[in-house]
Amino acid sequence: MSDILPPGSTIGILGGGQLGRMIAVAAAQLGYRTHVLAPDEESIAAQTASSFTRADYHSHIVLDELASHADVITYEFENVALAPVAHLAGKVPVRPGAKSLEIAQDRANEKSFVAELGGRTAPWALVTTRDELHAAIAKIGAPSILKTLRLGYDGKGQVRLHDASEAEAAWAAIGERPAILEGFVTFSHEFSIITVRGLDGTLASYPPPWNEHKDGILARSTLPAPPEIARHWTEAAALSGRVAEALGHIGVLTCEFFATEQGPVFNEMAPRVHNSGHWTIEGAETSQFENHVRAICGLPLGSTALTGSHVEMENLIGDEADRWPELLAEPGTHLHLYGKGQARPGRKMGHVTRVKRG
């Protein structure tokens, strides 16, 4: 019982975005307090958290203050630097741990790590110089994708090469930063496995959604997945479980896959709750956010079963959130707006989930 944090305990959250916002909501429902630390001028997580500190992650004074108030610390995005996490971990449990961040923050480390666990990845090569890029293109071919090693999400930090003549332009487009060149994968669908690992090592995962992207951003997640995805469920979930166990991961871990004729091809991981799991708030018996809170606080994990025969989550990007009056009038629809101010193209402003029962 000593590892179990009782209701009334405080969860520190690094990051002030919508994922932190929804973690704080789930924590409050279980009786926990939350303290968000983020440098952002606009922290939408602060709107639902018990308390908020706006400050840089690298100030030891700020970190020590957070540690003095928190019983456990988690994070809502994987690009927080390792040094602040290591500093915090010396004072209070940080879940998931630094190893999950270290692997997920570097695409080359990520792919090598998964391959060592028996995962299938796209062909790739490390690129740190212009000459290495040309050598990688000669090895992997084109079309291919040049991806920065770090800080890429929602299609950012990525450039497609249709042929070798575009190498110089692609190298300049990513700021001549360390990267990987990744070969194209022929796939029918994209999907994700959302796994949660408890403090006692218990593993649970959700049914895989079919994820459809538009302009590099997730547009829709649908369940149950079509047969092209369903036949890969067991293998992909097993790999995700091995990844979680090898990392000693506590909390939610998301692995994204391509459905191919050869089997599931691992794309990337996120050591956190994930956009493709937002459907779980109404579409699963226990949401990914609640299960994350349960895991990091040492509680038993909740059921991941579907609550309906069909579930669909649609992201509201940019001015799509202006549809809120008609969405609220639609029967069986659950609207989530994130409290963001300005709606910009490509900015996730909210999501809507539809659950069909019976």
Side-chain angles (χ1 to χ4, degrees):
M1 291 291 291
S2 60
D3 289 330
I4 296 177
L5 296 180
S9 302
T10 297
I11 301 169
I13 302 174
L14 301 180
Q18 61 262 25
L19 299 177
R21 177 188 182 93
M22 288 182 273
I23 290 172
V25 170
Q29 290 174 336
L30 292 178
Y32 293 96
R33 297 178 58 81
T34 49
H35 188 124
V36 167
L37 171 62
D40 315 298
E41 182 175 353
E42 178 190 27
S43 172
I44 59 173
Q47 297 172 8
T48 60
S50 310
S51 53
F52 169 59
T53 298
R54 182 189 174 194
D56 186 83
Y57 299 119
H58 294 274
S59 167
H60 282 192
I61 295 174
V62 171
L63 296 175
D64 290 347
E65 180 70 13
L66 175 62
S68 70
H69 293 299
D71 298 287
V72 66
I73 291 174
T74 192
Y75 42 86
E76 61 119 39
F77 72 123
E78 63 269 36
N79 290 327
V80 60
L82 290 175
V85 172
H87 182 83
L88 286 167
K91 299 175 180 296
V92 65
V94 178
R95 300 168 182 156
K99 186 174 181 181
S100 296
L101 278 178
E102 182 181 4
I103 296 299
Q105 284 180 355
D106 185 294
R107 294 185 192 276
N109 288 344
E110 182 182 65
K111 290 187 182 296
S112 297
F113 185 80
V114 168
E116 289 172 2
L117 294 172
R120 186 184 293 104
T121 71
W124 66 279
L126 180 64
V127 173
T128 60
T129 66
R130 183 179 283 101
D131 288 343
E132 286 182 353
L133 174 57
H134 287 291
I137 294 173
K139 174 185 175 182
I140 292 173
S144 50
I145 307 177
L146 186 64
K147 300 180 177 181
T148 56
L149 280 186
R150 296 175 177 269
L151 303 178
Y153 65 96
D154 287 347
K156 298 178 176 65
Q158 302 183 19
V159 180
R160 293 195 177 197
L161 287 84
H162 297 92
D163 56 59
S165 66
E166 298 177 349
E168 296 294 327
W171 184 237
I174 65 165
E176 300 185 358
R177 290 181 289 167
I180 62 169
L181 184 72
E182 187 175 279
F184 265 42
V185 174
T186 300
F187 63 93
S188 60
H189 297 75
E190 295 180 76
F191 69 98
S192 53
I193 297 290
I194 295 171
T195 299
V196 58
R197 185 171 181 267
L199 193 57
D200 62 356
T202 300
L203 282 167
S205 65
Y206 291 86
W210 171 23
N211 298 326
E212 299 174 84
H213 293 78
K214 181 179 179 182
D215 299 325
I217 301 174
L218 181 65
R220 180 177 292 100
S221 294
T222 309
L223 297 100
E228 293 89 343
I229 291 173
R231 68 187 182 92
H232 298 312
W233 182 357
T234 300
E235 183 179 346
L239 174 62
S240 298
R242 293 198 300 275
V243 170
E245 290 182 332
L247 291 171
H249 190 90
I250 306 299
V252 168
L253 172 76
T254 307
C255 292
E256 298 182 73
F257 294 90
F258 300 116
T260 78
E261 289 295 326
Q262 294 72 39
V265 172
F266 172 86
N267 181 26
E268 60 186 20
M269 74 173 77
R272 53 167 172 81
V273 290
H274 195 260
N275 192 179
S276 67
H278 289 357
W279 63 269
T280 63
I281 297 175
E282 291 85 21
E285 291 187 9
T286 311
S287 78
Q288 64 165 343
F289 301 100
E290 180 179 332
N291 258 335
H292 185 73
V293 171
R294 286 179 179 229
I296 66 174
C297 292
L299 307 181
L301 302 182
S303 169
T304 59
L306 298 180
T307 58
S309 59
H310 181 84
V311 182
E312 177 188 277
M313 187 284 299
E314 175 191 354
N315 266 336
L316 300 176
I317 310 296
D319 59 10
E320 291 176 357
D322 294 341
R323 294 163 45 207
W324 64 264
E326 63 187 80
L327 292 170
L328 286 174
E330 183 183 331
T333 293
H334 306 273
L335 177 65
H336 297 259
L337 296 177
Y338 302 150
K340 296 182 179 180
Q342 184 179 4
R344 299 189 297 269
R347 193 181 195 194
K348 297 172 183 174
M349 301 299 293
H351 72 270
V352 59
T353 303
R354 301 174 178 89
V355 180
K356 180 180 179 182
R357 294 179 170 85

